[in-house]
Amino acid sequence: MTATQRIAVGVVVAAACASSLAGCATGSHGSKKGVSGPQKAAPAPQSVLRLIGDGSTAYTGSQPHLPRPERLKPGQKPPQFVVFSWDGAGEDSQKLFSHFRKVSKENRATMTYFLSGVYMLPKEKREQYKPPQHSPGSSDIGFNDEKGIADTVKQARLAWLEGNEIGTHFNGHFCGPDGGVGTWSVDEWKSEIAQAKQFVKSWKSNTGMKKSAPLPFDYDKELIGARTPCLEGQQNFIKAASQLGFRYDSSGVNEQVWPKKKEGLWDLSMQLVPFPGHTYEQLTMDYNFMVNQSGTQTQGDPDKFDYWGDQMRDGLVKGFYRAYDGNRAPLIIGNHFESWNGGTYMRAVDDTVREVCNKPGVRCVSFHQLADWLDAQDPKVLKQLRTLQVGEAPRQGWASFLSGSPAPAPKGVPGAPAVKQ
């Protein structure tokens, strides 16, 4: 099997689903100073509160701790962006949502939480969900109960107030050829998106928790990006998402190079990074590390748990330094709130956050913040950055590479000043 085939195996195997709350399993707070200068934080909401619909969500003003992006100055070295993102984010007995909120705050980081809409829908109301190509009330990841919804709402509320992003992982997490998301039309994707929004906007009516605090954002405006289940169905999804005003997608597989747009959306897909002990590279997702270590067993050999976690951490860190010391392409990482192989992958993420997020010039941000920064840049500068290959630093330094003018010719070549003897 070639290296490319092995990589493909890791990606394809991820196209199955679990029935757990976390999703796929079977098939900066305030002002920061980085190398691109100070970042002014948006003002926190004042006493603005306008309930939306049944009061499940509310408009509370601009999101706190969301920095205003600044355009790179000529010759300025780009920041090293790192995005940690979570598929099917929800708070269950593992309390991993609250844990990683804490980790973020301790390490000057913000993250993206892709919320699954059915985690806001109680099981007894399941038939409200009408998935494309499946009977009403179907879901490959189940639904939730009142406590699970209350806990998830609490964490999503606090996460947003801390500057994190609430995206979507859609609803039923259907994968494969039999009605999976890869077979859905553009209109079916629009239906799925509309339902994912609706479950978030109506959790109070569906649970009866009328006196609970609302989510402090307008989800129609907050929701600007997603990752598809099992990384399937991207082609029709991005067509639907583009028509609905989304700004990015993270459903593909990329190299560690500067992103570009597809169908008007920033392609912020996960990436291939070194896989310690192997000659091929690995996708930046916990599930893919797991299937290349313990196969389809989510709890493999306990004697290997520590080694497997170290292997994922070291792979992510190697990918980080390859960009940090090279082309400075944003590093995109995806995970699940799961305890696969004894929770070793959660430890690996903990270790990676602490290793990379506090370094000079590094910004651990949400997809929302990264998209804002990309939109603020001169398109010519981004085009120039995209000429750099994986791990490639500018030969004559960043000041010359992004100066906006040709670099001076080296001495001793035609066109250079005469060399004094």
Side-chain angles (χ1 to χ4, degrees):
M1 184 181 291
T2 66
T4 301
Q5 288 172 325
R6 291 194 194 101
I7 292 168
V9 168
V11 175
V12 171
V13 175
C17 298
S19 58
S20 72
L21 185 61
C24 188
T26 62
S28 313
H29 303 289
S31 297
K32 285 190 189 178
K33 290 187 178 180
V35 289
S36 66
Q39 292 278 304
K40 299 187 181 82
Q46 304 300 315
S47 57
V48 180
L49 177 63
R50 186 175 74 243
L51 295 177
I52 300 171
D54 69 354
S56 294
T57 58
Y59 177 76
T60 59
S62 300
Q63 184 177 10
H65 310 297
L66 188 67
R68 294 189 180 97
E70 295 183 354
R71 178 171 285 200
L72 286 174
K73 298 178 176 63
Q76 189 173 14
K77 189 176 185 178
Q80 176 60 59
F81 291 104
V82 183
V83 179
F84 291 90
S85 56
W86 300 91
D87 287 7
E91 180 83 337
D92 59 12
S93 60
Q94 301 174 99
K95 299 191 180 300
L96 289 168
F97 199 156
S98 50
H99 170 77
F100 281 101
R101 279 186 42 245
K102 181 174 181 288
V103 171
S104 293
K105 289 188 289 184
E106 291 173 347
N107 292 278
R108 301 186 306 114
T110 54
M111 299 182 179
T112 290
Y113 298 96
F114 288 128
L115 178 64
S116 289
V118 292
Y119 293 168
M120 307 292 280
L121 185 65
K123 186 175 182 179
E124 59 269 22
K125 300 286 184 71
R126 61 186 301 162
E127 291 198 0
Q128 288 189 22
Y129 176 40
K130 297 175 175 57
Q133 302 186 30
H134 294 271
S135 60
S138 301
S139 172
D140 277 356
I141 56 171
F143 295 84
N144 216 335
D145 56 24
E146 185 172 315
K147 183 180 187 307
I149 294 171
D151 290 345
T152 296
V153 166
K154 176 182 178 181
Q155 295 308 315
R157 178 190 306 116
L158 293 172
W160 188 85
L161 291 171
E162 292 160 357
N164 300 282
E165 177 188 9
I166 308 300
T168 188
H169 201 46
F170 310 102
N171 300 302
H173 210 292
F174 299 105
C175 300
D178 187 15
V181 298
T183 69
W184 291 1
S185 68
V186 172
D187 285 343
E188 286 173 329
W189 270 115
K190 288 182 178 179
S191 171
E192 180 78 352
I193 294 167
Q195 292 184 81
K197 287 183 178 181
Q198 185 58 31
F199 299 144
V200 173
K201 295 189 296 182
S202 60
W203 61 269
K204 281 192 177 184
S205 294
N206 287 327
T207 62
M209 293 186 284
K210 298 288 188 179
K211 296 183 180 180
S212 299
L215 289 168
F217 49 78
D218 180 345
Y219 203 44
D220 285 325
K221 296 179 179 178
E222 168 68 12
L223 184 55
I224 63 168
R227 182 176 294 132
T228 64
C230 311
L231 308 185
E232 296 178 4
Q234 184 187 39
Q235 184 175 356
N236 281 344
F237 162 67
I238 61 175
K239 290 178 181 178
S242 179
Q243 294 173 25
L244 293 172
F246 279 40
R247 294 174 57 199
Y248 74 86
D249 169 58
S250 185
S251 304
V253 179
N254 288 339
E255 300 283 353
Q256 280 185 273
V257 294
W258 280 88
K260 58 185 178 181
K261 286 188 174 182
K262 288 183 179 179
E263 298 279 349
L265 275 65
W266 286 110
D267 180 8
L268 304 180
S269 296
M270 291 173 296
Q271 300 158 333
L272 297 169
V273 294
F275 190 12
H278 299 273
T279 57
Y280 59 96
E281 300 209 320
Q282 179 62 276
L283 191 65
T284 50
M285 175 170 268
D286 51 4
Y287 183 76
N288 291 77
F289 276 91
M290 182 193 75
V291 298
N292 279 282
Q293 293 167 335
S294 61
T296 57
Q297 292 187 11
T298 59
Q299 300 298 330
D301 183 353
D303 291 338
K304 295 182 178 178
F305 286 174
D306 287 346
Y307 171 73
W308 286 335
D310 290 349
Q311 199 174 38
M312 175 176 165
R313 177 201 62 206
D314 293 347
L316 296 178
V317 169
K318 284 178 181 292
F320 166 80
Y321 281 110
R322 184 164 68 180
Y324 186 59
D325 298 329
N327 63 4
R328 286 289 176 115
L331 176 63
I332 311 299
I333 298 170
N335 298 288
H336 301 79
F337 289 147
E338 285 284 6
S339 295
W340 297 322
N341 284 330
T344 194
Y345 307 110
M346 300 297 92
R347 175 183 62 82
V349 176
D350 273 5
D351 291 348
T352 304
V353 171
R354 293 186 170 93
E355 169 71 18
V356 308
C357 290
N358 297 294
K359 292 195 173 300
V362 174
R363 298 182 192 168
C364 290
V365 300
S366 67
F367 284 120
H368 188 155
Q369 293 176 40
L370 177 56
D372 284 351
W373 188 90
L374 290 168
D375 282 336
Q377 303 312 304
D378 183 339
K380 293 180 180 178
V381 170
L382 294 178
K383 184 177 180 180
Q384 177 79 340
L385 288 170
R386 285 194 289 270
T387 66
L388 295 172
Q389 300 304 305
V390 176
E392 180 187 5
R395 292 183 181 180
Q396 295 175 330
W398 287 102
S400 176
F401 183 71
L402 294 180
S403 66
S405 59
K411 293 181 179 180
V413 300
V419 178
K420 293 183 180 180
Q421 301 297 328

